[in-house]
Every structure is written in structure tokens, then in C-alpha cells.
Amino acid sequence: MNPATLLAAGLAWLGRHGTQGFALSIFLGLALPQFSAAARPALPVTIFCFTTVVFLRLDLAVTAALLRRPAKFLAACLWLVAGPVLIIGAALLVFGRGNLDPGIVLGLAIMGAAPPIMSSPAVAILYGFEPSLIIASVIATTIASPVVAPYLVELLAGSAVPLDRWLLTLRLLIFIGGGMAVASLLRWWLGFARIKAMKANLDGFGVLMYFIFAIAAMDGVTHAAIANPRLVLTVLGCVFAVSAAGLLGSWLVLRLLPGSERFMIGYGTGQRNMGLLVAALGAGVSQTTFLFFALAQFPIYLLPWLLRGIAGRIRRREAADGA
């Protein structure tokens, strides 16, 4: 068996064990702190790869069908942008920005302003859900993020955290525009039928990228957990609370959508592509903000595994209703 065949088989195997792979990745990242600092420069590369793969897998025919009946699509996009801002904005009003570390305030602002995590469509596919709405919504909100996200970060962070909004916009345009360009070239070269046939391989590639991302993102987390466990537990409580509020809020607000679509929009509401903004901000991110970003990966990595039972019940109920 040649190396290319072995690599394809390995990626396909990873793709078939995606939810377990996501959960395992973050613990391996914690277990390999000696590699985290070395891997940290790879964060922008992995984020660029996620962006490219999501654009690569976009089914233009399905997206066009959604746009012909745009009410559901527009509702999903509006909630994916507004939901996290409302949840985190309300929390900042209750606790007060002045009572929080500026690094934590910026972390919360980035979480609220970032587009949904790029792996949301992959999680929908792993759960066996029809992914068209979440794919189109993630794509649309990600494309809009260079214009929307810098304003939302500034809105949520307030004067406590000075930002160069135009530089952030430019860097986001480079990340997202570059991913779209590479995906377009690959679609032209491979053809969409071949890309669809590579589903398991692309799923596995996503898990592999998340493993590298986890090692890089965990830089300093083990040390912080020992040096300041109270801060770590507080931030973990915050990020899991936002995840839960995103799921619950979507379930209540988007009641006209099918259960699987509500569930995945709720998942995307709570799981945000903070890495896109962190990579774009670069040296402007303090160590505390980077710690917040790192700890925000825990629900992203663990929830696909933890929620698989709920997702299975929703899938079976919809299958029974459609029978």
C-alpha cells in the first residue's frame, strides 16, 4: 500500500471516529505542554485550513435553494450574529466591565463577535443531520465577519480594551478571502463530485487539524491551572454557560425550525471561531485573553461527544416523523 493510500485510509478512520477524536484532542493538547509553545505559530495555519475546507464543501445548489426561500436562512444568520452578542452583552451588564480583568473582557468580546466555529457543519454531518442550513449560515456569517466582527468586539469590549478596528478588518479579509480563493481553485481542480466522495477523508483531516490546533491552543493552560486554578475554573464556567445559553436560546427563539436545525444553530451560537479573531489580532492579544481563548476550546472539543445522545434522539424523532 503506497503512502498516499495509507494517509487516505488513516484520515477516513479519523473521520469515522470524529466525536471521540474531538474529545481526545484537547486532553492530548494538555498532556503535551512541551509542544504547545512550539505549535502556537501553527494556529493561523490550522484556522486557514478550517476556513478553506468549509468553503470547499459548500454545495452551491443547496445554498441557492436556501436563498430562493430565504426566511429560514436569514433567521438563522441573524440569530448566529445577534444571539451571542445578547448573551454576552447581558452578562457584561450584570457583572460590569470595570469589575473584570480587561483580558477577560476582551476574551468575552471576541467570543461574542466571532462567527460560528468552522467545525459546526462537520459536527452536523457526524450526527447524521442534514447540514445545508448550518453550512450556508456559517459561510454567510464568516464572510460577513470582516465587516461585522470588529464593530461587535468594540461594542462588547467598550473603552476598556483599545482596538485597531481597521487593521482587524484587513486581517480578517486576508484570512477569509484567502480561504475562499484556495477552496475555489481546489473545487475547479477536483470537481465537486470527487470532493463529496472524499467526505470521510475531509472529516479526518478536520480532526487532525483540530488535534494540532488543540496542542497550540493549550499553550500555558497547564501552568495557569496550577498557578491560578480559581481563574481557570471561573473561565471554564463562563464558556460552558455561554454554550448552554446558546443551545437553550436557539431552541426557544427558532421554534419554527426543525429540531435538528435548531440544535445545530444553537451549537453554533455557543461555539465561536475565536481563533479567527485571535489570529487576526496577533500580538494585541494578552496572555489572559489567550488563556480565555484556550479554555473556550473545551466545550468546542467536548460537546460533540457529550451531546451525541441528545442529537441521536432528535435524529430518531425526525426519522419517525418523516416515516
Side-chain angles (χ1 to χ4, degrees), residues 2 24 27 34 39 41 47-48 55 65 79 84 89 107-108 117 158 161 169 197 220 236 243 264 282 294 306 315 319:
N2 63 53
L24 182 61
F27 292 111
Q34 64 272 33
I47 293 161
F48 186 84
F55 284 117
W79 176 253
L108 285 165
I117 193 72
V161 185
T169 299
L236 282 174
S243 298
M264 288 315 305
L306 293 173
R315 186 179 63 249

Side-chain angles (χ1 to χ4, degrees), residues 150-232:
Y151 283 98
L152 295 180
V153 172
E154 195 171 61
L155 173 68
L156 290 168
S159 59
V161 185
L163 290 169
D164 188 335
R165 190 172 69 237
W166 295 111
L167 181 60
L168 178 57
T169 299
L170 176 62
R171 289 176 175 175
L172 286 172
L173 282 169
I174 292 169
F175 264 106
I176 294 165
M180 291 175 68
V182 172
S184 298
L185 286 173
L186 288 172
R187 287 168 71 99
W188 171 78
W189 179 42
L190 296 171
F192 192 63
R194 189 174 174 187
I195 291 168
K196 288 182 73 173
M198 294 167 62
K199 173 189 174 301
N201 306 99
L202 290 173
D203 287 345
F205 179 75
V207 174
L208 179 62
M209 286 295 100
Y210 263 91
F211 172 60
I212 298 170
F213 182 90
I215 294 175
M218 291 303 105
D219 183 27
V221 172
T222 303
H223 174 74
I226 296 169
N228 197 344
R230 183 176 178 180
L231 173 64
V232 168

